[in-house]
C-alpha cells in the first residue's frame, strides 16, 4: 500500500470532516472516490475514438494564441 499526502482546500476539508467523523472513514471515503474516478476514466477511454479526435483537431486554426492566453 502507498501513502500519499494531499493538501485539501479548507472548504473541501471541512465538508469531508462533516461527512466523516474519524480518520478511518475519511481514508475509506477518499480511496473509494479515487477508485470510482479511475473506473470512470477507464470507461471513458474505452469509448474514445482517435479518428474523431484528429478530425476535431483539424478544425482548430493554426494561429498564435492571443497574448492573454499565453503562459
Amino acid at each position: 500500500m502507498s501513502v500519499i499526502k494531499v493538501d485539501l482546500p479548507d472548504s473541501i476539508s471541512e465538508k469531508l470532516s462533516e461527512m466523516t467523523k474519524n480518520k478511518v472513514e475519511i481514508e475509506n471515503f477518499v480511496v473509494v472516490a479515487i477508485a470510482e474516478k479511475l473506473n470512470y476514466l477507464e470507461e471513458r477511454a474505452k469509448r474514445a475514438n482517435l479518428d474523431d479526435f484528429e478530425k476535431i483537431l483539424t478544425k482548430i486554426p493554426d494561429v498564435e494564441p492571443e497574448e492573454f492566453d499565453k503562459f
Side-chain angles (χ1 to χ4, degrees):
M1 188 170 291
S2 298
V3 175
I4 299 174
K5 179 182 183 269
V6 177
D7 292 323
L8 297 174
D10 290 340
S11 60
I12 293 176
S13 180
E14 289 168 7
K15 287 180 182 179
L16 186 57
S17 292
E18 289 172 12
M19 293 179 67
T20 60
K21 299 300 180 198
N22 63 56
K23 184 180 177 190
V24 173
E25 289 178 5
I26 290 174
E27 288 180 5
N28 287 340
F29 182 88
V30 172
V31 168
V32 170
I34 292 170
E36 287 177 351
K37 184 56 99 171
L38 289 172
N39 185 52
Y40 168 78
L41 292 172
E42 286 175 347
E43 292 302 314
R44 287 290 308 254
K46 288 177 187 175
R47 298 192 323 245
N49 184 315
L50 189 56
D51 291 334
D52 287 345
F53 179 69
E54 295 290 338
K55 287 178 190 174
I56 292 168
L57 286 181
T58 63
K59 296 179 182 182
I60 299 172
D62 187 19
V63 296
E64 285 289 317
E66 298 288 337
E67 195 61 39
F68 60 85
D69 276 342
K70 293 181 180 179
F71 290 101

